[in-house]
Amino acid sequence: GAGVSQSPSNKVTEKGKDVELRCDPISGHTALYWYRQSLGQGLEFLIYFQGNSAPDKSGLPSDRFSAERTGGSVSTLTIQRTQQEDSAVYLCASSSRRLTVTDTQYFGPGTRLTVL
Amino acid sequence: DQQVKQNSPSLSVQEGRISILNCDYTNSMFDYFLWYKKYPAEGPTFLISISSIKDKNEDGRFTVFLNKSAKHLSLHIVPSQPGDSAVYFCAASGLYGGTSYGKLTFGQGTILTVHP
């Protein structure tokens, strides 16, 4: 079946502009995660959604970052007033989380964001 | 505060030999550990995992060892193949609650190159 998809694959924007990044998880997966990878760094957790529960936003670096998940499926990560330090690859992952938190997270290919 | 560390940015081995990738962690609440593999322009893919009740888990050519007292884990690949050349990330999570529950904390990654 189809894996996790993300769009756009690349985004170049000017400092101060808002951007929206989209994630389509694997159908039926109840958990959805956003991570980012800055240059030379590991993946950094941003936010996760599990079913209808309130999202865990503990990894969001500032209030310029927000995310929503509509209808328990597609998710959008929004970065307002982008800064150059926001430049990174933003990765989305989903998992079934039916039974246990050890259910494998499947990652999308990522969106490479460049803020000029 | 880097809670998961991969101190070797790169590793080069000859085809057929053993590759050993290392990872250290500081958070004693972590009790589930994973290795992911990442090719350029793709998202990370799950490779192998281990929970803290075990000290070894094997899957084909891949074995993960966990030393809880040293807060250290390693991934052994035997024999190494050129197709194993990729970035390897170690990750950790909490199974039983706490702030790490369900979220993955990643190391910075190690670039493995297997020469024919």
Side-chain angles (χ1 to χ4, degrees), chain A residues 64-76:
Chain A
R64 297 186 295 104
F65 287 73
S66 63
E68 62 177 21
R69 189 178 185 192
T70 52
S73 181
V74 171
S75 177
T76 303

Side-chain angles (χ1 to χ4, degrees), chain A residues 37 48 81 87 96:
Chain A
Q37 185 181 13
Y48 103 84
R81 304 181 303 281
S87 297
S96 61

Side-chain angles (χ1 to χ4, degrees), chain B:
Chain B
D1 174 26
Q2 193 77 29
Q3 298 186 61
V4 178
K5 295 181 185 179
Q6 294 176 255
N7 291 317
S8 298
S10 62
L11 175 68
S12 180
V13 300
Q14 207 67 33
E15 181 178 8
R17 306 295 288 269
I18 184 171
S19 295
I20 300 176
L21 297 116
N22 293 301
C23 179
D24 297 292
Y25 62 97
T26 58
N27 188 339
S28 57
M29 295 297 291
F30 290 146
D31 47 26
Y32 185 61
F33 305 90
L34 311 90
W35 285 93
Y36 276 79
K37 174 179 176 179
K38 185 180 184 303
Y39 292 116
E42 295 182 11
T45 54
F46 170 75
L47 198 55
I48 193 169
S49 64
I50 188 168
S51 72
S52 58
I53 61 172
K54 292 185 170 184
D55 54 18
K56 176 183 174 181
N57 189 26
E58 196 170 350
D59 183 1
R61 297 185 297 113
F62 301 91
T63 303
V64 56
F65 295 91
L66 175 63
N67 181 333
K68 291 185 289 294
S69 60
K71 294 191 174 68
H72 177 83
L73 65 154
S74 61
L75 174 69
H76 292 208
I77 306 174
V78 184
S80 302
Q81 299 173 354
D84 296 330
S85 298
V87 180
Y88 288 78
F89 290 98
C90 119
S93 181
L95 278 178
Y96 304 112
T99 57
S100 306
Y101 180 71
K103 299 180 294 197
L104 295 178
T105 300
F106 284 84
Q108 310 95 305
T110 297
I111 301 170
L112 174 65
T113 305
V114 181
H115 299 284

